[in-house]
Amino acid sequence: SRQPRRSRGGRGRGRGGGTGGGVGEKAGGGANDVVMTDGSANHANGSAGGARRSRSRNRKRGPARKDSGGDLAPEKKRLETTPVATGPPPPAKDPSFMTKHSFASLPEGSVHRDTIRAITETMKLERLTEIQYKTLVAVGILPSENGVTNGRGGSQVGSVDVLGRARTGTGKTVGFLVPAIQTVIESMKSGIRKKGGPSVRVLVISPTRELASQISQQAQAMLTFHGRNLGLTAQVVYGGTKMNSDVNKFNQRIPTILVATPGRLKDHLQNTSLSRGGKFASAVSGLDVLVLDEADQLLEMGFRPDIKTIISYLPPNDRRQTLLFSATMPRELRSVMAESMKPDYVTVDCVHDVDASSKGKETNVHVTQSHVVIPDMDRIVVGVAEAVMLAMRKEQGHYKIIVFFSTARLTGFFADLFNHGMGIPVLEMHSRKSQ
């Protein structure tokens, strides 16, 4: 009655924004990552919702069975990886999701020159992706190819709410940071001053701390030259770290762009006091732009109550801009949109759903994925080692591998085996390990 053990090998990351964590590199990882977990620890965000969702995958027990990717490998044969379907193909006209528009050739004055300089010189980006171009058109920064600024015939920058549908890896972060920064700059140019002292001007809410860190890094890169000229800054806060560290940075300076996971942000809004007096909650009273990234994942991971609480601290919908990005449109998302967005929001769809069968295949088609199922306990040690080594060789040094086990004890055993017995550094993740 023992459950078959599963090993997943692959390259890149899934749609939720997190990475595998560490073979070859420790947590935070580089090109080569392997993580071993029992599925009960959600170290990406520390949420109970994520933990329950992970455990549910290991709940069923029974003999080895056929998997959607193919038959189980016979016990005495070498284990082979099976490709995983990664969703509908991109539009035939441009399989890379790139457009013909380059950042350097954007109309003069549409995007601040320091933003363009940071994108091209610091971030080394040349062309806009589909979601980036369509978002800039939707908010009124760029005219569309037919000359229309947006669906309303042209609106002031910062006044249009956008629902963006796009998969992971298609450039969403740049897609919402560019208009958000431009809104702040336009607000500063117009002389609009927010009441209550220094304020967070852009708030980005992310489901996982890995994704939040990535967004913060890109925000800091995009502010490379704005920091010198306009004094714009970025900061990230997430669970698993000391709140005092966040507070010390708030006391030094309230960031222009704050990237946060829901739980930690709610804690600060409810409990943090600043050294100059007053609550941290007052620092979001002058918010210009709210960004909800991976909104479907925020809901799936149980953050709906936290999001509702956070929104209650922010300016009303008609006094700020909301940019919401989601690969899917679950029913519960509609209520979040009603609470956080203006009713006349503009939709930007870059998912290109083919039909209902595409549900659940939101992972970017350019991320190559595969999996291996270990048939039984008789060969589990050899099987896991063989599967991981095969994936490492197959990817020629550029691998992202995650191995799932049913218990924390088994996870710890294999982590010790790889780290100390085989000399292959791996990251051990389960509920008995601290974040």
Side-chain angles (χ1 to χ4, degrees), residues 352-371:
H352 306 291
D353 291 329
V354 176
D355 51 41
S357 64
S358 65
K359 182 180 180 182
K361 299 178 181 178
E362 296 82 19
T363 301
N364 183 9
V365 71
H366 298 294
V367 178
T368 302
Q369 295 184 316
S370 60
H371 74 273

Side-chain angles (χ1 to χ4, degrees), residues 3 55 67 86 102 139 157 177 283 290 303 432:
Q3 180 188 4
R55 282 196 296 269
D67 187 75
T86 55
S102 69
V139 299
V157 173
L177 283 177
L290 169 65
F303 288 126
R432 297 181 183 177

